[in-house]
Amino acid sequence: MKLSAFTRISLRTVALAYLLILLVLPLVIILLRTFERGIGAFIDSITTPAAISAFQLSMLIVLIVVPLNVVFGVVTALALVRSKFPGRSLMQGIVDLPFAVSPVVVGVSLILLWGAGGWFGGLESLGFKVIFSLPGMVIATIFVTLPFVVREVEPVLHEIGDDQEQAAATLGASRWQTFWRITLPAIRWGLTYGVVLTVARALGEFGAVIMVSTALPGKSQTLTLLVHGRYINDHNTFGAYSAATLLMGMALIVLLLMTLLERKRGTE
């Protein structure tokens, strides 16, 4: 369908205005509020003990969640693409479940499952506390980030097929050798892109984490919870803006990595 010049310009104007009002303008306002007192005040705000602890906890959760999701994601993608088994369609739906379920619902379900009186609540009497501690926050983050590696690796596996893997098996390579020397190099860009998406989602998760965390500064408060706590509980709007800007900067780094990966993958 060929559009007139007026229609093309109108569509572009509407799209740019939409993005400007909903995305760019709020971010610009946060940046202006953050740096209105100067760069020194911003640095002081993000280097408080509570902010440093929140940053360290967020990074710790990322460091735990990403390797687990990589292992699970690759295994699941291989199972879905290379195997035919009863319940495969159901498994496909389960993988996409975090896209459909609200993170708050995830948090509530984890409390019902792991909290006092839950199915696995007895573990707390053995000294293993899940809810309102780090394990619960990790489980919640794993749930919401679960699909990304699977959904990035799966189409790559479809694209490359299994001819090279079968040839390697014919030549006497074990399954482990075939995976490391044939499969893994072939899916590396899809896997890397899935890891970047997982990192971005884990850093920005709020709804599920706040349900299974005490949100106490210095104990179980991530960067997203720090923004919420400063703004709602402490009425420290400048501190909230500063923490939000720190999160925004980390998200920007992730976005740049995604862009670079897309370009590099496109050149190969």
Side-chain angles (χ1 to χ4, degrees), residues 187-208:
I187 65 172
R188 66 186 185 280
W189 291 119
L191 179 59
T192 304
Y193 199 63
V195 167
V196 173
L197 291 175
T198 301
V199 171
R201 187 69 176 88
L203 286 174
E205 177 52 35
F206 174 77

Side-chain angles (χ1 to χ4, degrees), residues 130-205:
V130 176
I131 301 301
F132 305 128
S133 63
L134 178 61
M137 300 168 73
V138 169
I139 294 173
T141 307
I142 288 175
F143 185 95
V144 299
T145 58
L146 181 147
F148 292 109
V149 172
V150 180
R151 290 306 177 219
E152 291 299 324
V153 171
E154 188 177 0
V156 179
L157 288 172
H158 280 294
E159 182 179 352
I160 63 175
D162 61 350
D163 293 341
Q164 295 184 31
E165 296 171 0
Q166 291 182 6
T170 303
L171 295 173
S174 65
R175 291 186 177 182
W176 191 247
Q177 289 175 324
T178 301
F179 173 77
W180 277 107
R181 298 184 180 183
I182 304 296
T183 309
L184 186 60
I187 65 172
R188 66 186 185 280
W189 291 119
L191 179 59
T192 304
Y193 199 63
V195 167
V196 173
L197 291 175
T198 301
V199 171
R201 187 69 176 88
L203 286 174
E205 177 52 35

